[in-house]
Amino acid sequence: MKQWGMTTTLMIFIVISMAEISNGEDPYRFFTWNVTYGDIYPLGVKQQGILINGQFPGPQIDSVTNDNVIVSIYNSLDEPFLITWNGIQQRRNSWQDGVYGTNCPIPSGQNFTYILQVKDQIGSFFYFPSLAFHRAAGGFGGITVSSRPRIPVPFPPPDGDFTILAGDWFKQNHTDLKAILDGGHDLPFPDGLLINGRGSNGFTFTVDQGKTYRFRISNVGLTTSINFRIQGHKMLLVEVEGTHTLQNTYSSLDIHLGQSYSVLVIADQPPQDYYMVVSTRFTSQVLSATSILHYSNSPGTFPAPPPGGPTIQIDWSLNQARSIRQNLTASGPRPNPQGSYHYGMVNFTRTIRLANSAPVINGKQRYAVNSVSFIPADTPLKIADYFKISGVFSIGTISDSPTGGGGYLQTSVMAADFRAFAEIVFENSEDTVQSWHIDGHFFFVVGMDGGPWSADSRTSYNLRDGISRSTVQVYPNSWTALYVPMDNVGMWNIRSQNWARQYLGQQFYLRVYSPVNSWRDEYPIPKNAITCGRASGRKTRPL
C-alpha cells in the first residue's frame, strides 16, 4: 500500500501537530494498526471478521493518565471505517471521537491518525468500530489507563492484570445482520457468547496460588446483558469505568451492554482448574460460555460443573446496581479525593427526560428517543458545524421530554450550554433492559427504580456517593436518573448500547456550545481531519 511508505513523514507531521494541543511533559504512545478482513471461527463456523494487525480481538492499548495516545489506522477494508473509544472522554477534542456525527470515515485504502489524550482519566475501557454494522464483525479491543506513579491507588498492586471482553455473538456475517436491519426487521436471538473472541473453554487464565489478580471485564456484545462469575471465588469490585468504587464483594456481577468493571480476585482455593462463566440476563433462553481459571500448580481437574447464575431476576440486579457506589476517600486521576466534587450540592438548571421506544415507521422497525428516530446526515455534524454549512442539521430537533407520539425520522441534535449542570432521566416503558452511553462526559447515577419517574422520585436520590461512569442501564418499566456536568465542548453522541437499536435510530447528538472561541474550551479542527459530504474539498488549517 502506498501509505505504508509515508510512515516516517507521517510521524513527523503528527509530532508537530501534537505540540500544539498537548502538554509536552506527557508521554506519547504510538500504535500503528492495519485493519483487514479475515476468516474467524469463534463459534466453530467460518465468518468474515474484522482484524487489527491480524488479531481478533484487536491489540490492547495500555496507557497512563494524561498520556498522548497516537493511533495510526490503515483501512485495508473495501469500505469506509471508523473506530470509537468507549468511555475515553476526549477532553476539548470531540474531533477524535470516532463516530459519524463527528468524523468523516476513513476511506478504503487510506490512513487516518487519531491523536488522543487520556486526560485526567484512569480505569478500564474498550474501543470498537462505529460505522455500518462493523461491530458485529469484531475490531474491538481493551483500553487500560493506569494511575500515575505518585497517585495513591486504594488497593495493593495486583500480581497480574487480565482483560476480559465478553458478549453475545451471531454466526451470521455482519453484512447479513445489517441486511436484516435494513429490511426493517429486528435481529434474531444471538447464537452464543464469546470470551476474548472464543467460545466455551477457548481461553485460559493462569494464576499462581495465593496471589491476587485484577480482571477488567467489559460487555462488548450487541444485544444482551451478561452475568460474570468465577467458580469458587469472590470478586472485590474496585473500579467502574474510571471511578474507584466502594470495595464490596460479589459472587457474580451483572454487566450491561457497553459497561466495564474491574475486580480483584485472590487465588485462594485448592489448586485445581475453575470455570469462569458468562451467561445472558433477562432472556427467556439463557446462553452461557466458559473460560478456565488455571492454577499453575493444578493437576487439571475441575471441582464441579460450572456454577449457575441469575437469569431473569430484576430486583436482584437492581439491588446490586444500587450497591455500586464511589469510594469517596480514594484519589482519582489527580491526588485529591474523588468525593471532593460534591455533585449533590450543585443546583441543576435543566431536566432532560429521554424515553426509548420501538415505533414502526414507513412499514419498517425503527427505534427512537422521545419519538425521534435518528438518521445520519450526508455530512458529519461536527464538520458541518465547524464550516457553518447550513441545512445539515438543526438545533432543537429533539425535545427535552417525551412527546407521547409514535415516531418520525430526523437528524436529531440537542443544544446544551457549556458548564451547565443537568438532570437527565432515562425512562423505559418497554419490557426489556436498556443501556445508554454519553460520549465525552461522565455522569453521576443518582437513582433508579421501577414505575414512572416524577418529581417526587428525587426524594430517593443518592446525593452523596452515586457512582460516576459513562454507561448506565435502565431496567424494564423503570427509570434511571443522572446528574451530568456539561463540561466538555463539542458534538457528543448519546446512544443506546444495544447496537441494533443504535443502528436503527436510538441515538442523537448533544451540542455542548461555548460562545468563546478559545483553545481553553475546545481544540481547533485537526490538520489531518478528513472532509467529506458537503465539506468535501474544504481545507482545515494551513500546515
Side-chain angles (χ1 to χ4, degrees), residues 64-65 121-123 145-158 214 238-239 242-245 247 327-338:
V64 176
T65 301
Q121 285 193 266
I122 58 167
V145 186
S146 300
S147 295
R148 289 175 288 177
R150 295 184 182 87
I151 307 300
V153 175
F155 50 87
R214 181 174 185 170
V238 294
E239 177 253 331
T243 300
H244 292 306
T245 66
Q247 295 183 7
N327 186 341
L328 297 181
T329 64
S331 293
R334 297 178 178 178
N336 62 287
Q338 293 186 142

Side-chain angles (χ1 to χ4, degrees), residues 175-357:
T175 50
D176 296 327
L177 297 175
K178 180 177 177 294
I180 292 173
L181 296 174
D182 289 340
H185 307 286
D186 198 3
L187 294 182
F189 191 69
D191 295 297
L193 298 179
L194 301 184
I195 300 174
N196 288 357
R198 302 178 187 179
S200 283
N201 300 336
F203 209 93
T204 298
F205 300 87
T206 300
V207 297
D208 294 331
Q209 192 172 24
K211 293 186 176 181
T212 300
Y213 296 85
R214 181 174 185 170
F215 289 87
R216 304 172 187 262
I217 313 141
S218 295
N219 184 344
V220 297
L222 298 174
T223 63
T224 57
S225 301
I226 59 174
N227 180 267
F228 177 83
R229 52 201 180 272
I230 302 177
Q231 184 180 29
H233 294 72
K234 299 294 186 181
M235 298 180 291
L236 186 70
L237 184 66
V238 294
E239 177 253 331
V240 171
E241 295 164 25
T243 300
H244 292 306
T245 66
L246 286 181
Q247 295 183 7
N248 296 327
T249 299
Y250 300 91
S251 297
S252 69
L253 273 174
D254 278 354
I255 306 174
H256 303 274
L257 289 164
Q259 294 184 339
S260 299
Y261 289 79
S262 277
V263 297
L264 296 182
V265 177
I266 303 175
D268 57 359
Q269 297 301 302
Q272 299 183 81
D273 287 355
Y274 297 88
Y275 287 109
M276 307 174 70
V277 187
V278 292
S279 58
T280 56
R281 287 288 269 125
F282 319 115
T283 57
S284 56
Q285 177 186 349
V286 178
L287 299 175
S288 296
T290 57
S291 284
I292 299 171
L293 184 72
H294 171 70
Y295 279 55
S296 59
N297 57 342
S298 166
T301 58
F302 288 90
T311 54
I312 59 173
Q313 301 94 325
I314 292 175
D315 287 346
W316 182 94
S317 186
L318 176 61
N319 289 333
Q320 182 180 89
R322 287 172 172 163
S323 74
I324 298 172
R325 301 186 175 193
Q326 64 174 305
N327 186 341
L328 297 181
T329 64
S331 293
R334 297 178 178 178
N336 62 287
Q338 293 186 142
S340 63
Y341 179 59
H342 296 294
Y343 68 91
M345 300 179 68
V346 179
N347 293 323
F348 58 86
T349 57
R350 180 180 180 186
T351 295
I352 302 170
R353 296 169 53 209
L354 301 173
N356 50 271
S357 60

